[in-house]
Amino acid sequence: MGADETARSAHPEGIRCMLLRGGTSKGAFFLASDVPADPEERDDLMLRLLGSPDPRQIDGLGGGHPLTSKAAIVSVSEDRDADLDYLFLQVGVDRATVGAAQTCGNLLAAVGPFAVERGLLPAGVDGMTTARIRLRNTGGVATATFATPAGISDYDGDVAIDGVPGTAGAIELRLGAGAGPVLPTGLAAQELAGRRVTLVDNGMPVVLVDAASLGVSGDEDPGALEADARLCAAVEEIRREAGPLFGLGDVREQTVPKVVLLSPPRHGGTISTQAFIPFRVHASIGVLMAASVAAGIRIPGAVGHDLARLPAGPEHDIEHPAGVLRTRVDVSRGDDGAWRASSRSMRTARKIFDGIVFPRPRR
């Protein structure tokens, strides 16, 4: 039996899986020990579990949208500076792709509670648990703090986040200043594909573009932006030119960098955003995308700096199609002239089901 046949016939008994909402995303969570270590076999399995490629993902767990076609693989970390390792996988919906170049700050909110559920992490003795999480996609380390009364993950609470109905328990996410600069090219602004842009990375590689420079106002419905073939072609041209400048190489089959269209705030926030992720427009905005936007617009000369209503303090209300995401971002310039930043955001998460999932036998 060949390697492909072996991969396709494996797991007839199913695989242990927990489906969780993290922030404004939803994903399938797995223990690293329950999925293949080989990336090619692992990616093939994820496609068959989520039902890709198919616009409806009717034969799998996926929900027919990039925000619900995600997977997280979690394990105890061997890094002494972290408790957990978290590998994020962005599974294509109508394309047979599995991206591991980016992380996901929304699903990050659910990593700690999942780890407590699976016994990877002991609950804190005071009803609160703090988890240091190594982001295997990017190498960064985030800290999550969440409630664990009676030693179990508690998803109940009164915190509401725009883009999610109802309320849930608070989960604080902190990401310290990385080793790399916020501006990967060292430039506050530059020209790509004939447009003035800013390349920024405060946890997520993002290209900031003034929406008006692309002929849109920035307050359109996401579906209308996706249907604008001229706009999508221009956004993708910018994204592909930006990829090598982030050190990502050819990004045609990758989900990073993201391109974020900026416009003046309309609802009392700091800035208004429309985020291409990359072939669909985000229904809200990712946590780390928001942190990158907030860091970028604080830098004089960057795209969005003059559009924003910048606060005196570090709290930024990033407007998006579903409302507002508040993120605390501290930005400073070092003696070497490089800008660096750290961020803190409040998210929620919820366990949806825990059980056994069965992969499609072949694709």
Side-chain angles (χ1 to χ4, degrees):
M1 181 179 291
D4 288 345
E5 293 178 62
T6 300
R8 292 173 183 174
S9 62
H11 309 293
E13 72 285 357
I15 301 165
R16 189 163 55 154
C17 172
M18 189 179 293
L19 189 69
L20 295 108
R21 175 187 62 77
T24 55
S25 292
K26 185 166 58 179
F29 281 65
F30 304 91
L31 292 178
S33 56
D34 288 336
V35 300
D38 177 75
E40 186 175 348
E41 290 185 25
R42 178 200 67 205
D43 292 352
D44 178 77
L45 177 63
M46 292 301 140
L47 290 168
R48 293 184 291 120
L49 287 172
L50 272 73
S52 301
D54 171 37
R56 295 182 299 158
Q57 292 180 312
I58 195 66
D59 205 27
L61 290 175
H65 192 280
L67 298 184
T68 56
S69 185
K70 300 184 174 188
I73 299 174
V74 183
S75 61
V76 173
S77 182
E78 296 181 358
D79 186 337
R80 66 180 182 179
D81 295 323
D83 304 304
L84 304 168
D85 277 1
Y86 155 51
L87 177 68
F88 169 71
L89 300 174
Q90 179 67 63
V91 181
V93 176
D94 53 359
R95 305 165 70 189
T97 59
V98 180
Q102 71 166 87
T103 191
C104 176
N106 273 308
L107 283 197
L108 173 63
V111 171
F114 170 76
V116 171
E117 296 258 14
R118 285 287 189 259
L120 300 182
L121 182 73
V125 296
D126 60 353
M128 297 295 293
T129 298
T130 295
R132 299 170 303 164
I133 304 168
R134 184 167 69 105
L135 312 177
R136 287 189 55 202
N137 305 79
T138 63
V141 175
T143 302
T145 303
F146 52 98
T148 50
I152 60 174
S153 298
D154 183 9
Y155 304 96
D156 197 11
D158 57 5
V159 174
I161 60 174
D162 290 341
V164 178
T167 62
I171 299 173
E172 184 186 70
L173 300 176
R174 285 173 285 159
L175 191 66
V182 169
L183 302 175
T185 65
L187 301 174
Q190 59 198 101
E191 186 173 301
L192 292 183
R195 267 82 176 189
R196 181 172 174 268
V197 305
T198 293
L199 275 60
V200 57
D201 188 349
N202 185 28
M204 180 70 70
V206 164
V207 185
L208 307 180
V209 188
D210 185 339
S213 73
L214 291 170
V216 295
S217 65
D219 65 348
E220 293 86 353
D221 180 83
L225 296 178
E226 293 173 357
D228 187 336
R230 176 203 59 81
L231 172 66
C232 291
V235 166
E236 183 61 8
E237 184 180 8
I238 292 170
R239 196 181 76 85
R240 291 186 185 184
E241 287 195 17
L245 300 178
F246 279 106
L248 297 169
D250 186 343
V251 297
R252 281 178 291 184
E253 298 299 323
Q254 295 189 42
T255 56
V256 283
K258 314 294 187 186
V259 177
V260 181
L261 277 53
L262 303 180
S263 58
R266 296 170 175 84
H267 306 289
T270 304
I271 194 80
S272 181
T273 63
Q274 295 272 9
F276 282 76
I277 57 172
F279 307 110
R280 302 287 299 271
V281 176
H282 206 300
S284 54
I285 192 171
V287 175
L288 299 180
M289 275 188 276
S292 291
V293 169
I297 62 176
R298 291 214 67 98
I299 297 173
V303 172
H305 182 78
D306 294 335
L307 297 174
R309 187 178 292 117
L310 292 170
E315 300 284 351
H316 298 73
D317 288 338
I318 306 300
E319 297 181 4
H320 56 74
V324 172
L325 190 155
R326 172 164 289 186
T327 184
R328 179 188 179 99
V329 172
D330 293 288
V331 182
S332 61
R333 196 171 195 178
D335 294 338
D336 59 357
W339 294 90
R340 289 180 171 81
S342 61
S343 66
R344 186 170 71 190
S345 302
M346 194 69 69
R347 295 277 86 186
T348 66
R350 188 177 79 82
K351 178 172 64 173
I352 297 172
F353 81 69
D354 186 6
I356 303 297
V357 61
F358 295 87
R360 184 177 61 225
R362 61 183 61 83
R363 64 177 176 88

